[in-house]
Amino acid sequence: MHPPPQPLSNIELDTLDEFLALPALEETSMDVGVLDGYLTAILLSPRLVKPGLWLARIWDMENARKKPRFNDEQQSTRVLEFITRHYHHLADEIIKPTPTPTLVPVFLRGAQWGVSEWCAGFLLGTAFDRDTWAALMEEQPEWFTPLQVLGMGDDDDIEEEYPDLDAAFDAVMVAVQAIGQHFRAEREAGPDPRAVDFSAPAPQVNEAPKTPRNALCPCGSGKKFKKCCGHDERVTN
């Protein structure tokens, strides 16, 4: 049995946010709202994603190349401990023997962590298993509508779809609960994420996980990747 992980307090989450907002990282790193959604998607996925793959994107969301600069070993230990504890706490909540995950996203814990940022992080977390998530987006598009509108839409889209913030919160929670239940059996048949070794050396990751050009676009548009987000990628490259 794994002892229940101690969840981060709001003060500890604020401390982590302050580190991620330091000048050396603020242009590329996640904030705590994005991080919480990102880890939630990674842990809801039926396939285990090892920390060596996802840790690098906390500091550099787009390229996974920039590394954090810590003042000293104490700061390094503290920041990585906060991330590890938060990961294990979310894993424990998702794995609990209840009909659906008992998650409390950070946007319900404080107004400083936005639901839009959380949804953007969640969508980013699906990138490590694009085929599985794209298939679910095609099968159950209504589950992903709030995540995509809030995480990718502009302010006008969000205001039109969710004029009431509580309605946005409710829509996201319903979607996450449904996704969690959908993947539950597959997750339970796989390795326990609470036993993940964070001390293992992380492989160098230079590029984002690639989507096959003929696969459905993970943005949920229903179009093939090469005719949607992949078209923009080809043009810019």
Side-chain angles (χ1 to χ4, degrees):
M1 284 287 290
H2 301 277
Q6 183 69 28
L8 296 185
S9 67
N10 278 20
I11 291 175
E12 289 171 323
L13 289 170
D14 280 331
T15 300
L16 179 56
D17 233 355
E18 288 168 6
F19 176 79
L20 294 171
L22 289 174
L25 289 173
E26 65 177 342
E27 296 297 324
T28 62
S29 69
M30 300 180 180
D31 66 11
V32 162
V34 176
L35 175 62
D36 191 58
Y38 176 68
L39 292 180
T40 299
I42 286 169
L43 287 162
L44 286 177
S45 180
R47 293 184 178 88
L48 180 68
V49 183
K50 294 184 177 180
L53 291 173
W54 57 256
L55 268 169
R57 296 202 174 274
I58 296 175
W59 328 117
D60 186 352
M61 286 191 287
E62 291 189 9
N63 301 308
R65 290 176 180 163
K66 183 178 287 190
K67 295 181 180 179
R69 294 182 180 179
F70 300 103
N71 291 334
D72 49 39
E73 187 175 346
Q74 182 180 12
Q75 185 186 52
S76 170
T77 300
R78 192 179 192 201
V79 168
L80 294 174
E81 182 217 340
F82 284 174
I83 292 171
T84 303
R85 272 176 53 203
H86 195 55
Y87 172 89
H88 283 138
H89 170 66
L90 290 174
D92 194 61
E93 292 300 296
I94 287 170
I95 290 168
K96 278 182 180 177
T98 55
T100 53
T102 56
L103 294 167
V104 180
V106 293
F107 60 77
L108 295 179
R109 293 180 57 176
Q112 66 269 45
W113 302 302
V115 65
S116 291
E117 288 77 9
W118 192 96
C119 291
F122 188 99
L123 294 173
L124 183 61
T126 68
F128 296 99
D129 192 0
R130 289 187 188 274
D131 289 345
T132 297
W133 284 98
L136 184 59
M137 289 175 187
E138 182 179 23
E139 181 184 337
Q140 302 287 351
E142 69 280 3
W143 293 352
F144 293 89
T145 297
L147 297 166
Q148 289 162 347
V149 170
L150 291 162
M152 299 169 61
D154 58 31
D155 290 343
D156 290 338
D157 292 336
I158 294 171
E159 193 170 328
E160 180 179 351
E161 191 76 24
Y162 300 107
D164 177 11
L165 197 57
D166 286 340
F169 292 167
D170 291 344
V172 170
M173 292 303 299
V174 168
V176 170
Q177 298 284 359
I179 292 167
Q181 183 63 17
H182 178 85
F183 285 138
R184 186 176 188 87
E186 290 180 77
R187 281 198 312 275
E188 289 177 345
D192 188 340
R194 295 170 298 182
V196 163
D197 182 10
F198 276 77
S199 65
Q204 183 65 38
V205 181
N206 292 324
E207 296 184 355
K210 296 294 185 182
T211 300
R213 295 189 62 75
N214 285 315
L216 285 172
C217 188
C219 77
S221 66
K223 299 177 183 178
K224 287 187 176 180
F225 179 67
K226 66 183 180 183
K227 293 187 178 294
C228 189
C229 297
H231 174 72
D232 296 335
E233 180 182 90
R234 183 175 57 189
V235 170
T236 55
N237 293 340

